Amino acid sequence: MVETLKFENPLMADFSALCRGFLFTSPWRSLATQGCYTTITTPVADGAVLNGDFQQQLRHHFASAKKQGIAHPILVGAIPFDVSQPAALFIPESHQTFNRDDLQAALPVAQAPLPQIRRRAALPGHEVFTGMVAQAVATMQRGDLDKVVLSRLMDIVTEEPVDVAALMQRIVAQNPNSYHFHLPLPQGGSLTGASPELMLRKQGRNFSSCPLAGSARRDADAQRDRAAGDSLMHSAKDRHEHKLVTDAMRDVLQPRSRLLSVPTTPSLLTTATLWHLATQIEGEALDERENALSLACLLHPTPALSGFPHQRAQQLIQTLEPFERQLFGGIVGWCDEQGNGEWVVTIRCGTVHGARVRLFAGAGIVADSQPESEWRETGVKLDTMLRAFGLQ
C-alpha cells in the first residue's frame, strides 16, 4: 500500500519510527518502508541484462508480492562496490512517500547527547595511505591506467550504543541538500549517510545522472570559498579526472539510449564541506523494459568510484586497500515495478552496529595527484559523518 506521509500523524512525529525501516530522502521523491516481504541477496553482476537472471528474479518477486496483496511493490536497499558480492535488497510490506522539505520542517531537534568516544582509529593510517597513493601515481605514470579511486576507513567505538535515530536527525539537519539514507542490515546494525551524488534517476523512459569527480575544500570566508570553487573549475588535474568519468558514462549509456545529453563542461556543486565538479546527464531509454536498477547496474561502478579502465583499477584497489569495501562505494536506493526509481552513490556514509561505527571516504587518484593532498581530501569527506558525531 502506498500512502503520502502526513507529518501531523503521531507515528511520523516520532522520527525514530522512520529509522526502523529503510529511509531515503531526495528532492525528487522520498520514502520510508515498513516490514519486509522478502529479501534479495542475489549478486547483481548481470543486473544490467534485461533478460538476465537478476532481472527475471526481480520480476518474479514483484509478481509474488502483488499476489500477496502488496498493490505497489518496490525494491529497496543497497548494492556493494563489488557486484559479485551479495546484495542487501528487500521488498517491504508497505511504503510511504513524502516530501523531503516537509520532513525537514517537522524534524525535531535531536535531544540525545552526542556519543562519547572510547577510541577511534584510521584504517589504513597516514603513512600507509599516502604510500598507497604514491604507488598508484607511479602505476599511472607508467601508463598502466588513467585513474584509480583509493579509500580509507575510520573505526570508532563509543561508550554506549549509538542512538541511530538521533544520528540520522543530525545527518539530515547538517546536510539538507544531500540524499539521506538509512538501511537496516541483514547482519544487524545499519548503513547511514548523506550522499551528494546521484547515480541514476528514472521516471518513465527519461533518466538522469549527476556524477561528481574533482573536489576542493570549502572555506568559511565567502571570498576565499568562491575562489576555491573557481580554482577547482579551472584545475587541469580535476577537469581531466572528471572527463574520464563522463566520457566513460557516455560510452556505456549511448547504446541503451534513444536520446542522450552529456554536457562537455562541468558545473560546480557544493556540500557543507566541499566543492565538486558535476555534470548533469539526461537521457531517454531506448528499450521500454529498462528500469532504474538495470541502468544503475549498467553504470556501476563508474570511474568516480573505481577508476579507469575499470578492470585494471579494481585490481589495483584489491591490491592496495587493506579491507573489503562491501557496501561502501556501492549504490543505495529503490526501484518500483514500473521501472521508476532512484539510486545514489554510497559515499559520505558509515555503518553503525551498537557501539561500533565504521566511516568511509575515498579520493580519485590521477598521475599528478599528491599523496598528502589526497589524505587531506579524504579527511574533509569524513567530516560529513564526523560532524554528526560531534567530532569534526
Side-chain angles (χ1 to χ4, degrees):
M1 180 178 182
V2 180
E3 298 177 354
T4 299
L5 289 186
K6 302 295 186 182
F7 284 95
E8 61 269 18
N9 183 321
L11 175 66
M12 296 310 151
D14 177 10
F15 186 77
S16 63
L18 296 179
C19 294
R20 293 182 194 130
F22 177 73
L23 173 67
F24 182 87
T25 86
S26 158
W28 178 52
R29 188 177 302 170
S30 301
L31 59 89
T33 73
Q34 297 80 38
C36 175
Y37 167 69
T38 190
T39 59
I40 302 174
T41 59
T42 305
V44 300
D46 72 339
V49 181
L50 297 179
N51 285 320
D53 288 343
F54 183 85
Q55 290 291 337
Q56 290 187 44
Q57 283 190 43
L58 180 56
R59 289 192 287 270
H60 168 74
H61 286 303
F62 277 153
S64 296
K66 294 191 78 168
K67 287 182 180 179
Q68 294 300 312
I70 301 175
H72 304 286
I74 62 168
L75 180 75
V76 304
I79 289 167
F81 170 73
D82 182 351
V83 294
S84 68
Q85 294 183 353
L89 302 167
F90 70 98
I91 294 176
E93 293 176 346
S94 64
H95 72 280
Q96 297 160 304
T97 62
F98 60 90
N99 182 285
R100 187 176 69 178
D101 292 342
D102 292 342
L103 172 65
Q104 292 174 338
L107 197 66
V109 176
Q111 299 296 324
L114 292 170
Q116 297 297 306
I117 307 304
R118 179 180 299 174
R119 63 178 179 270
R120 64 177 179 172
L123 177 66
H126 175 270
E127 294 304 318
V128 173
F129 182 81
T130 53
M132 288 163 48
V133 175
Q135 290 182 63
V137 168
T139 300
M140 280 175 281
Q141 289 176 344
R142 291 196 300 268
D144 292 348
L145 77 164
D146 296 309
K147 173 186 175 179
V148 66
V149 177
L150 295 179
S151 59
R152 63 183 178 103
L153 307 176
M154 181 174 289
D155 284 333
I156 296 173
V157 178
T158 59
E159 293 290 349
E160 302 290 340
V162 174
D163 184 332
V164 177
L167 175 63
M168 281 301 300
Q169 286 181 41
R170 290 191 290 268
I171 289 172
V172 173
Q174 293 171 6
N175 306 275
N177 297 319
S178 295
Y179 300 88
H180 313 106
F181 52 88
H182 170 271
L183 171 66
L185 297 175
Q187 66 271 30
S190 56
L191 174 71
T192 65
S195 176
E197 185 168 0
L198 174 66
M199 172 68 82
L200 197 288
R201 175 186 299 145
K202 182 175 180 290
Q203 173 137 26
R205 282 198 174 187
N206 296 321
F207 66 83
S208 59
S209 180
C210 190
L212 308 182
S215 59
R217 186 168 193 160
R218 300 198 63 187
D219 197 289
D221 177 82
Q223 187 172 354
R224 289 196 299 267
D225 186 48
R226 184 70 238 179
D230 290 342
S231 178
L232 176 64
M233 180 60 84
H234 294 94
S235 164
K237 175 252 184 191
D238 291 287
R239 291 286 289 269
H240 170 66
E241 178 188 345
H242 191 83
K243 189 173 186 298
L244 288 173
V245 174
T246 55
D247 283 354
M249 292 178 69
R250 178 192 293 108
D251 291 345
V252 169
L253 287 169
Q254 192 76 64
R256 304 273 282 256
S257 303
R258 178 182 293 172
L259 299 171
L260 185 65
S261 170
V262 183
T264 56
T265 302
S267 57
L268 287 170
L269 179 147
T270 59
T271 68
T273 55
L274 285 168
W275 288 92
H276 292 284
L277 292 181
T279 293
Q280 184 66 41
I281 297 172
E282 303 284 350
E284 183 181 340
L286 184 63
D287 193 316
E288 63 182 7
R289 296 173 299 168
E290 291 282 12
N291 58 52
L293 188 53
S294 65
L295 288 173
C297 288
L298 182 68
L299 292 170
H300 175 64
T302 73
L305 290 169
S306 63
F308 186 82
H310 167 66
Q311 294 298 334
R312 180 69 187 95
Q314 192 155 23
Q315 291 171 1
L316 189 59
I317 289 167
Q318 292 172 347
T319 299
L320 295 179
E321 290 187 352
F323 53 83
E324 288 286 338
R325 291 188 182 181
Q326 300 179 331
L327 295 178
F328 296 142
I331 53 176
V332 59
W334 63 275
C335 178
D336 67 19
E337 61 171 336
Q338 283 81 39
N340 307 311
E342 191 166 42
W343 296 86
V344 302
V345 179
T346 317
I347 54 176
R348 314 294 192 274
C349 63
T351 55
V352 180
H353 196 167
R356 295 186 176 274
V357 179
R358 171 164 280 192
L359 309 181
F360 168 87
I365 314 301
V366 292
D368 55 352
S369 292
Q370 300 298 314
E372 195 64 36
S373 175
E374 303 303 334
W375 171 265
R376 289 194 300 269
E377 178 178 325
T378 50
V380 173
K381 291 175 177 177
L382 287 169
D383 272 354
T384 295
M385 297 299 286
L386 288 173
R387 284 187 306 126
F389 281 92
L391 289 172
Q392 186 181 16

